Amino acid sequence: MTDASIYPVPAEWKTKAKVDAARYAQLHGRSLADPGGFWLEQARRLDWIKRPEIAGDWSFDEKDFHINWFADGKLNVAANCIDRHLATRGDQTAIIWEPDDPAEQPRRYTYAQLHKEVCRFANVLKAAGAKKGDRVTIYMPMIPEAAFALLACARIGAIHSVVFGGFSPDALAGRIQDCDSTIVVTADEGRRGGKKVPLKANVDQAAPLCPSLEKVVVVRATGGGVDMEPGRDAWYHDLAGMVADECPPEPMGAEDPLFILYTSGSTGKPKGVLHTSGGYLLWASLTHEMVFDYRPGQIYWCAADIGWVTGHSYIVYGPLANGATTLMYEGVPNWPSASRIWEVVDRHQVEILYTAPTALRALMKEGDDFVAKTSRKSLKLLGTVGEPINPEAWRWYHEVVGEGRCPIVDTWWQTETGGAMITPLPGAVDLKPGSATKPFFGIEPQLVDGEGHLLSGATEGNLVIARSWPGQMRTVWGDHARFFQTYFSTYPGKYFTGDGCRRDEDGYYWITGRVDDVINVSGHRMGTAEVESALVLHGKVAEAAVVGMPHDIKGQGIYAYVTLNANCEASEDLRSELKQWVRTEIGPIATPDAIQFAPGLPKTRSGKIMRRILRKIAEGDVSSLGDTSTLADPSVVDDLVANRVA
Ligand code: ATP
Ligand code: MG
């Protein structure tokens, strides 16, 4: 469902933004014409121990496959995020922490305090045996100590692997084993939406499955009772009392690993994505400044979890590298009420808010009153990431949340890309609801057909990136062959994103969904996003997920799972009405063959719909649903299987 409306850059953004349309065209042009010069110049935004003299050195060809950026440079990522700000903004707030329970007081850390906390944490990790190159698994709630732990690893050159605090002991064990972590950093318990999460108890269950694991460092967060195993487990505060709050940053090569992060697993077994130090930090920092038009002093909130790449790049590394004030929120969007996000915005006078379509759809479903009763006057810019945003949700975000005055940056990117890739710059690009718009500096997106032929002009195809960029992942941990195989073998010489995409007459990019999810009805290829957006546009529909199912005549038919808004009733009439609705919105070819009303959809822990499970159910093949370990609520699957529309 394409929304033809255009939201021009507001007049004051045209004049005041860091990058206007002309500057964007100039910078993007130069980044492609002279990548060496452009990127060495951009690299100056970081503090180097040894400044690099070479920028990109890479080849996507199988014979000579390698990816390096700034390889002769040396730096320390934590020093870039903290130490270099001390002289100019030591007393400025670096992190604002908003607790789960709104009745509690927020915490604030200045850059000077952050320096002490991170140094102490780094010394604790050293005391626990961590050395440069060791893997440290971080399994933490959204508390400031989680950010300290990441930065402490970066300071001493240990490689962190953050595992989202909502994962089960088995999922945690798998990720500890995959990278042979020697240390796990955790907390007694986490808190989310008023509920306790037994993090330490989960580690206790995972530990016996992990032969590499030597030490567990436990932060006291809730004060809940836990078992401590002598020799293996230690309280953070005990160790912290014995170490200094000074720790010299380890000089690191630009290509030394910074972290491993497992993908969300929406398409298959999670991949251990490895990012290195120099290129990643440059990408996180540059995109954070330009995409959000960030200015020192602004309160900036990325409402993601640190367990996802969005939390890495846009809660911790990007903002702190830029000397920003970054807000970290412990809880969930809809607790104690669906007003919470907007209340936090008001409480801290947030100017820039970055969240996901899944959260927006969930809040939209509860009605506008929860938004309307808050002020939100501080908001200047809104952002979204994670899935294609339905134009309906986009407009709600723009009109109801932002009262029409805040541009929305719809940022398309992946764990693999390190940071935003296709995204508006708010002062430069007119917006179209549902489009991630234009490529960021240095990014050369291309659309290819199934055989890899380059498609030009307004067209639709598979999204590939034709050249390397500094924030690109460098390998799949422990499986370099899988790295090449997954991303570079399908279309030789290009990075394959796995996403389908349309480019319109204005050169705007529209992500249509995962390529694996594309439906082929009587020879017409259709992205899932388009049909889903049409369904969500209906007043009674809160959320929709669309998959293909075998069809004797058409090859594939369309099977839609539909979640209705609060207090809307499912009925046969509504079913026919929705079929007719899609027919009118898109055309007869997109008419769903089956509609199943579903109270819940299977989603990853990061809120993405797992269509591969829905596809199996639609096909009636429920015996082999594949890896479901990253599902947020596995019980939804039983309901979906039981209520399958035959
Ligand atoms: P896995 O690779 O294990 O299946 P995943 O792809 O869900 O997991 P992420 O790296 O978190 O893991 O997600 C990246 C994907 O999210 C992109 O490939 C794209 O499909 C989708 N995505 C992210 N941002 C956007 C956006 N702004 N618009 C459309 N799609 C988006
Ligand atoms: Mg992916």
Side-chain angles (χ1 to χ4, degrees), residues 590-609:
T591 313
D593 296 277
I595 291 182
Q596 175 171 348
F597 292 109
L601 296 170
K603 291 189 183 171
T604 63
R605 295 267 171 187
S606 53
K608 296 178 199 223
I609 298 166

Side-chain angles (χ1 to χ4, degrees), residues 424-583:
L425 302 187
V429 181
D430 297 341
L431 305 174
K432 301 187 187 188
S435 171
T437 76
K438 302 268 185 162
F440 192 72
F441 309 146
I443 298 307
E444 189 183 357
Q446 292 181 344
L447 302 184
V448 297
D449 67 14
E451 281 76 52
H453 300 120
L454 194 60
L455 305 169
S456 56
T459 185
E460 187 167 337
N462 302 320
L463 178 64
V464 299
I465 311 292
R467 57 171 86 195
S468 184
W469 65 97
Q472 183 168 29
M473 73 182 282
R474 300 298 196 261
T475 192
V476 171
W477 180 261
D479 199 347
H480 202 56
R482 186 176 177 206
F483 179 48
F484 182 85
Q485 176 64 31
T486 308
Y487 304 102
F488 304 93
S489 68
T490 319
Y491 303 111
K494 299 173 200 285
Y495 169 81
F496 178 40
T497 64
D499 286 341
C501 185
R502 184 166 69 78
R503 186 172 49 220
D504 70 16
E505 315 70 48
D506 301 321
Y508 278 52
Y509 290 85
W510 302 73
I511 305 297
T512 53
R514 314 300 177 110
V515 167
D516 294 347
D517 295 334
V518 166
I519 309 169
N520 194 327
V521 183
S522 311
H524 297 269
R525 291 164 59 79
M526 231 174 303
T528 48
E530 193 178 14
V531 188
E532 288 162 8
S533 287
L535 284 162
V536 172
L537 196 58
H538 189 281
K540 292 187 174 161
V541 176
E543 194 151 41
V546 160
V547 296
M549 64 174 201
H551 191 287
D552 290 346
I553 301 153
K554 301 192 241 181
Q556 269 189 315
I558 296 177
Y559 193 110
Y561 298 83
V562 169
T563 306
L564 297 177
N565 275 326
N567 60 51
C568 290
E569 286 279 330
S571 68
E572 276 314 311
D573 285 351
L574 183 56
R575 208 191 293 270
S576 332
E577 185 182 323
L578 289 175
K579 288 185 184 176
Q580 188 55 44
W581 173 267
V582 177
R583 196 183 168 87

Side-chain angles (χ1 to χ4, degrees), residues 287-555:
T287 51
H288 173 261
E289 183 184 346
M290 297 304 167
V291 173
F292 300 110
D293 198 67
Y294 186 80
R295 299 167 192 253
Q298 287 191 308
I299 311 293
Y300 157 90
W301 179 18
C302 166
D305 193 282
I306 243 169
W308 314 121
V309 72
T310 309
H312 284 56
S313 300
Y314 297 117
I315 296 177
V316 180
Y317 290 117
L320 295 177
N322 293 339
T325 300
T326 180
L327 192 149
M328 202 175 160
Y329 171 45
E330 187 181 26
V332 296
N334 56 0
W335 190 82
S337 83
S339 288
R340 184 65 189 277
I341 296 268
W342 325 119
E343 286 164 1
V344 174
V345 164
D346 288 348
R347 184 180 206 178
H348 298 289
Q349 293 297 292
V350 171
E351 294 188 31
I352 303 166
L353 173 69
Y354 191 31
T355 186
T358 180
L360 294 172
R361 287 191 302 260
L363 296 174
M364 189 165 82
K365 171 167 120 180
E366 302 300 327
D368 296 357
D369 291 352
F370 288 103
V371 187
K373 68 181 193 208
T374 62
S375 159
R376 289 159 287 107
K377 283 282 174 288
S378 58
L379 286 175
K380 292 203 165 73
L381 179 69
L382 302 170
T384 156
V385 60
E387 286 181 291
I389 180 163
N390 323 99
E392 178 78 356
W394 194 100
R395 259 185 260 103
W396 184 80
Y397 202 20
H398 191 258
E399 262 112 66
V400 180
V401 174
E403 293 173 343
R405 76 178 176 275
C406 308
I408 295 179
V409 289
D410 175 359
T411 62
W412 173 84
W413 59 292
Q414 311 177 297
T415 311
E416 294 90 334
T417 71
M421 298 283 281
I422 299 181
T423 173
L425 302 187
V429 181
D430 297 341
L431 305 174
K432 301 187 187 188
S435 171
T437 76
K438 302 268 185 162
F440 192 72
F441 309 146
I443 298 307
E444 189 183 357
Q446 292 181 344
L447 302 184
V448 297
D449 67 14
E451 281 76 52
H453 300 120
L454 194 60
L455 305 169
S456 56
T459 185
E460 187 167 337
N462 302 320
L463 178 64
V464 299
I465 311 292
R467 57 171 86 195
S468 184
W469 65 97
Q472 183 168 29
M473 73 182 282
R474 300 298 196 261
T475 192
V476 171
W477 180 261
D479 199 347
H480 202 56
R482 186 176 177 206
F483 179 48
F484 182 85
Q485 176 64 31
T486 308
Y487 304 102
F488 304 93
S489 68
T490 319
Y491 303 111
K494 299 173 200 285
Y495 169 81
F496 178 40
T497 64
D499 286 341
C501 185
R502 184 166 69 78
R503 186 172 49 220
D504 70 16
E505 315 70 48
D506 301 321
Y508 278 52
Y509 290 85
W510 302 73
I511 305 297
T512 53
R514 314 300 177 110
V515 167
D516 294 347
D517 295 334
V518 166
I519 309 169
N520 194 327
V521 183
S522 311
H524 297 269
R525 291 164 59 79
M526 231 174 303
T528 48
E530 193 178 14
V531 188
E532 288 162 8
S533 287
L535 284 162
V536 172
L537 196 58
H538 189 281
K540 292 187 174 161
V541 176
E543 194 151 41
V546 160
V547 296
M549 64 174 201
H551 191 287
D552 290 346
I553 301 153
K554 301 192 241 181

Side-chain angles (χ1 to χ4, degrees), residues 4-57:
S5 46
I6 295 187
Y7 292 71
V9 175
E12 68 276 18
W13 281 85
K14 272 196 178 134
T15 49
K16 293 209 191 109
K18 292 179 187 247
V19 181
D20 64 10
R23 182 123 180 91
Y24 165 72
Q26 184 221 336
L27 286 171
H28 188 257
R30 167 134 194 269
S31 70
L32 298 189
D34 172 24
F38 180 85
W39 287 116
L40 286 179
E41 205 174 290
Q42 294 302 327
R44 291 177 175 260
R45 66 187 293 114
L46 302 183
D47 249 22
W48 296 88
I49 298 166
K50 181 192 172 295
R51 183 170 296 219
E53 285 164 29
I54 36 178
D57 164 23

